[in-house]
Amino acid sequence: MKTLKFNKFLLLILGLVVLNSCVEDDDFDTPNTDIVEPVLDGDVIPISSVAGGLGQIHGGGIDYNNNEDFLFFNFDDSGIVQYMEGYVVSSDEAGNYFEEIILQDNPENPTVGIRVLIDVNPLFGRYDIGRKVYVKLNGLYAGISNGVLSLGTLDGNFIGKISAAAENEVIIRSAEITTMVPMLLEFSEFSNDKTNLLIELQDVQFNRNQATGPNPLSYASEPFDQFDGERILESCTSSSAVIFSTSTFADFKGLTLPFGRGSMTAILSKDFFGEVFNIVISTPEDINFDTQDRCDPDFLECTGASGGGTAFFEEDFENFGTYESEGWDNINISGTDTDWFISSFSGNFYSQISAFNSDNDDADVWLVTPPINMDNTTGEELSFDIQSNFDNGTNLSVWISTDYTGDPTTATWSILDVTIPVGPASTFGNFESVGPVNISCVDGTAVIGFFYEGSDPSATTRYHLDNVVVTGN
């Protein structure tokens, strides 16, 4: 009993001392949050070794269309521990990435990148851009998921996410953090082995049908945006385009697309199906459109009065013979086998074209109307219907010529200010009316040319053209 009382007395005195110290001493020390360089208990390999191991399974390099083979790091019985090192190039701070970290092998001039899936959100506070990390490979699987090299667990027949409980054991931060230098890349240089890399695109702009006019689109908050907002990013140095993808969960989804033109830093990726190259940013601050001087063409501008007339030229492609017999010209000027042709769905006939699966690097094809006499009318307008499908860039334009004699390459063409509808990237769109377009300043005999500039696989949008009408008074 005495011992118990004495112990209670000592505890009372000790408690008073501690309390007094806490009350009187307000000089608190800041906890040491510096990252200490880890001491790893195994070998460190580059991302290229992971990619090379997967390529050996496929027998001669990675097959990016194969999402069924996996490289399993099974060291359970050998005692081997192995780590993969890489540098973080993505950030989920703005919500455009979710439960994944994109790593590449070098801060500058990278050669390979990989997506690491982990069931944790958010991640940016621990894995900031430029941070070097080590990923413990034991028990993980590497494979192709959504068209890009990925690392994680095995979830059925897919690459799954590393569990939240295993995060600290599997992903280890280095004390090293460095400035990442994006790789300069042109659209024409996109390739599977450059996915998951931080790139810089120069002299680009968003499609004018999406970024200009009275109602420009947001990044990803339109009624038709489901999982991702897919917008068209165009190159001002070539006639090519790419899908710019934004998650509908991104914090900036409601912001309006920037109007101008300039550069951006992004990661080259693929769409959900692993079929089409996508551009993905971490934050809108990655976009630097420093000029409002867009690279849209100089359109024909007719300022005279137009409208209110009746149709004096029209074609709906119903009961249509051949292009030749109906007076239309269907001319591929690139010497390849892609052409316009008559197709139908649910009893509706239309002209169709796409370079998809054509294996044509160039598929430049004109569809030219029969001659249209513009001398007997005034206030002329052009209208037509377009259905844009499996859209990966606007590669249809509409022109007018008064000196066309059968060869599109020798005629003088003026491009018309038409808004070609942008359709969904992975399915069929709807027919939309285009125009009316004022062509009242054109005199004489004219032809309208629908010019498709395709290339497989980068410019393969499928178009259906219907109800071409010219009206006048």
Side-chain angles (χ1 to χ4, degrees):
M1 183 67 72
K2 291 182 179 178
T3 303
L4 179 60
K5 290 181 178 179
F6 184 68
N7 287 341
K8 288 182 177 180
F9 179 74
L10 287 178
L11 289 173
L12 177 60
I13 297 300
L14 180 60
L16 291 172
V17 171
V18 172
L19 179 61
N20 187 58
S21 298
C22 291
V23 171
E24 294 183 358
D25 184 6
D26 58 358
D27 184 16
F28 299 104
D29 291 330
T30 301
N32 184 2
T33 59
D34 292 339
I35 299 174
V36 178
E37 187 64 27
V39 178
L40 305 177
D41 58 348
D43 296 329
V44 177
I45 65 172
I47 301 174
S48 58
S49 294
V50 175
L54 182 62
Q56 288 179 353
I57 294 177
H58 296 153
I62 294 179
D63 180 1
Y64 285 87
N65 296 316
N66 186 331
N67 59 1
E68 298 179 352
D69 291 340
F70 305 99
L71 174 64
F72 178 40
F73 297 92
N74 183 11
F75 304 131
D76 290 345
D77 299 327
S78 64
I80 296 174
V81 178
Q82 206 166 66
Y83 295 86
M84 178 193 73
E85 64 179 1
Y87 293 85
V88 178
V89 294
S90 64
S91 171
D92 62 2
E93 183 173 8
N96 207 27
Y97 286 91
F98 181 71
E99 297 187 349
E100 62 184 4
I101 307 169
I102 313 297
L103 306 177
Q104 68 181 38
D105 57 349
N106 297 308
E108 190 172 0
N109 299 320
T111 61
V112 63
I114 193 168
R115 181 176 63 150
V116 181
L117 304 180
I118 179 167
D119 193 17
V120 176
N121 179 59
L123 293 162
F124 71 91
R126 297 182 298 287
Y127 311 107
D128 37 344
I129 292 178
R131 174 75 61 187
K132 185 177 183 179
V133 299
Y134 302 97
V135 182
K136 188 176 182 180
L137 295 173
N138 295 54
L140 299 184
Y141 291 78
I144 300 301
S145 178
N146 305 116
V148 300
L149 181 61
S150 303
L151 182 70
T153 60
L154 192 63
D155 183 7
N157 294 323
F158 302 94
I159 297 292
K161 299 174 183 177
I162 300 165
S163 70
E167 176 192 356
N168 293 332
E169 178 185 355
V170 175
I171 305 179
I172 301 172
R173 293 185 296 171
S174 166
E176 180 182 346
I177 182 169
T178 187
T179 300
M180 306 302 293
V181 180
M183 172 189 293
L184 291 177
L185 212 61
E186 300 286 343
F187 290 0
S188 60
E189 298 173 318
F190 288 179
S191 59
N192 288 322
D193 61 348
K194 291 184 175 66
T195 53
N196 292 327
L197 297 183
L198 189 68
I199 64 172
E200 180 178 339
L201 303 172
Q202 295 184 336
D203 206 8
V204 294
Q205 66 180 23
F206 286 103
N207 180 277
R208 72 184 185 92
N209 301 332
Q210 299 178 335
T212 66
N215 297 301
L217 298 184
S218 63
Y219 281 92
S221 65
E222 306 304 324
F224 52 79
D225 294 325
Q226 296 181 356
F227 300 105
D228 295 302
E230 296 177 324
R231 307 294 182 252
I232 306 299
L233 187 68
E234 301 172 336
S235 169
C236 287
T237 57
S238 65
S239 59
S240 55
V242 69
I243 298 296
F244 177 96
S245 181
T246 304
S247 169
T248 53
F249 294 97
D251 296 346
F252 57 90
K253 66 179 182 180
L255 297 181
T256 301
L257 292 176
F259 169 85
R261 163 185 177 185
S263 64
M264 70 169 58
T265 299
I267 293 174
L268 181 62
S269 188
K270 290 282 192 75
D271 66 349
F272 177 82
F273 301 99
E275 297 173 344
V276 179
F277 286 118
N278 277 197
I279 293 299
V280 183
I281 61 173
S282 291
T283 168
E285 294 177 357
D286 293 333
I287 299 177
N288 180 29
F289 284 3
D290 53 2
T291 176
Q292 298 296 296
D293 182 20
R294 292 175 55 86
C295 60
D296 300 321
D298 293 328
F299 298 104
L300 175 70
E301 294 186 13
C302 294
T303 57
S306 65
T310 58
F312 65 94
F313 174 86
E314 53 187 326
E315 181 58 72
D316 61 7
F317 302 104
E318 305 292 332
N319 302 314
F320 196 79
T322 65
Y323 288 113
E324 182 178 7
S325 66
E326 301 293 336
W328 289 66
D329 287 340
N330 181 13
I331 302 174
N332 186 317
I333 62 173
S334 52
T336 54
D337 56 5
T338 298
D339 289 305
W340 290 85
F341 63 94
I342 302 299
S343 186
S344 67
F345 181 77
S346 296
N348 179 48
F349 288 79
Y350 46 79
S351 281
Q352 174 180 321
I353 192 168
S354 174
F356 180 68
N357 276 348
S358 67
D359 293 326
N360 296 152
D361 291 334
D362 294 297
D364 300 332
V365 193
W366 285 89
L367 182 62
V368 183
T369 67
I372 304 171
N373 186 352
M374 307 281 283
D375 285 337
N376 299 324
T377 54
T378 59
E380 297 90 349
E381 290 182 330
L382 167 70
S383 62
F384 54 92
D385 295 338
I386 281 288
Q387 183 183 25
S388 301
N389 316 286
F390 305 96
D391 201 320
N392 68 340
T394 301
N395 51 335
L396 179 67
S397 52
V398 186
W399 304 71
I400 193 166
S401 174
T402 56
D403 63 359
Y404 175 78
T405 58
D407 183 354
T409 64
T410 61
T412 302
W413 294 98
S414 296
I415 188 169
L416 300 179
D417 188 5
V418 301
T419 300
I420 301 297
V422 176
S426 55
T427 187
F428 289 91
N430 297 314
F431 270 104
E432 298 184 38
S433 296
V434 177
V437 181
N438 187 346
I439 54 173
S440 63
C441 57
V442 178
D443 297 320
T445 299
V447 295
I448 308 296
F450 298 88
F451 185 37
Y452 182 84
E453 297 175 272
S455 177
D456 187 24
S458 60
T460 59
T461 303
R462 173 174 165 175
Y463 292 106
H464 299 166
L465 169 68
D466 202 1
N467 300 322
V468 182
V469 178
V470 179
T471 61
N473 298 299

